[in-house]
Amino acid sequence: MSFRLFVYYCALGGGGGALGGWALGRLLHGATPLLDAGLKAMLVGMPVALALSLLDALWNLSLRQVALLVQRVVAAVLVGGFGGFFGGLLGHSLAGLPAPVGAGLGWALGGLMIGAAPGTFDVMVSLSGGQSVRGPARKVLNGVLGGAAGGFLGGVLLAGLSNLWGGVFESREADRLWSPGATGLAALGASVGLLAGLAQVFLRDAWLRIEKGPRAGRELILTKPVVTVGRSQGCDVGLVGDGNVERVHARLTRQGDQYVVSDAGSASGTYVNGERVGGPRPLRGGDAITVGDCVLRFGERRGRR
């Protein structure tokens, strides 16, 4: 998946998830207006986090890694639901402020947690394995920034659309109208997904692009301490279909502020800019990594080091 498609699907998934949450919320009513707001926001936060984490997992994992995929998604849904619930409580508590501001601030908190959700499991795995959390923490931070901005923008759109539809159907009771909630929450979810996805892409530190070989055009943000390359379905960069690529052919390892590439004992070797790698070799932006008949382009943000 390219970065452009990832952002597009994040916006689409966020909007669809929020619309599903709105439909569930129509069936639920809390004991008090405050609790009602929190529970309905939770039902929006959970499917939006589900959509974003599922996209992130499918982008970074093989379909055969079902157990790991499920764990990531479950962790993200819990975080997203938690954020939505407290964001709803905050938004209701700020109801005395002008509608766009109160709704924006409440959903900024919800969006913050939803944006952080896809990277939460990565941090947990790194901590439990005694690995560096620098990359996963950066992923969480980028999601927080994008999600918070998207939540605020979406909250403003939600309030604006509610007022718009209320004016169109001013003769009807607001609670009986479907249009304000459905369109407003769809816009909210799409805003959170769009800006969370954009933040991950534009604030990325390092990435790979497959320029030649199976799945040419695929782009992958590097956040893990160790990234494996090979034809095995369990590799982070799977190159299935190239007979000259070993099951685990090469590894990219984060060392401080840079990534180094090393061969994993393959018969055909690993090359950087046409030179065979004899030991761990530091990578710089623009380097071409050749494994078998495949070419991967390494990229990094300028001024990162």
Side-chain angles (χ1 to χ4, degrees), residues 209-213 239 288-297:
R209 175 183 172 83
I210 302 177
E211 293 196 342
K212 179 183 177 183
L239 301 173
I289 305 168
T290 303
V291 292
D293 296 324
C294 302
V295 178
L296 315 175
R297 184 73 61 180

Side-chain angles (χ1 to χ4, degrees), residues 41-184:
M42 179 185 71
L43 289 178
V44 172
M46 291 176 71
V48 173
L50 169 65
L52 298 186
S53 62
L54 189 58
L55 276 169
D56 180 77
L58 293 176
W59 194 22
N60 291 283
L61 298 175
S62 163
L63 287 176
R64 294 186 180 182
Q65 297 173 287
V66 177
L68 189 58
L69 188 149
V70 170
Q71 292 175 49
R72 289 169 65 106
V73 170
V74 169
V77 168
L78 292 175
V79 173
F82 180 87
F85 180 76
F86 285 99
L89 296 183
L90 178 62
H92 187 273
S93 300
L94 298 176
L97 296 176
V101 177
L105 290 176
W107 278 109
L109 174 60
L112 179 153
M113 297 294 290
I114 293 169
T120 302
F121 186 73
D122 295 328
V123 172
M124 294 166 59
V125 169
S126 295
L127 286 173
S128 64
Q131 299 176 318
S132 170
V133 298
R134 180 167 182 171
R138 178 76 184 189
K139 180 178 180 178
V140 170
L141 176 60
N142 292 347
V144 163
L145 295 174
F152 184 83
L153 173 62
V156 171
L157 290 175
L158 173 62
L161 286 168
S162 295
N163 290 334
L164 174 64
W165 286 110
V168 172
F169 298 105
E170 58 182 349
S171 61
R172 303 285 297 277
E173 294 181 26
D175 291 341
R176 299 179 63 85
L177 295 174
W178 285 19
S179 301
T183 58

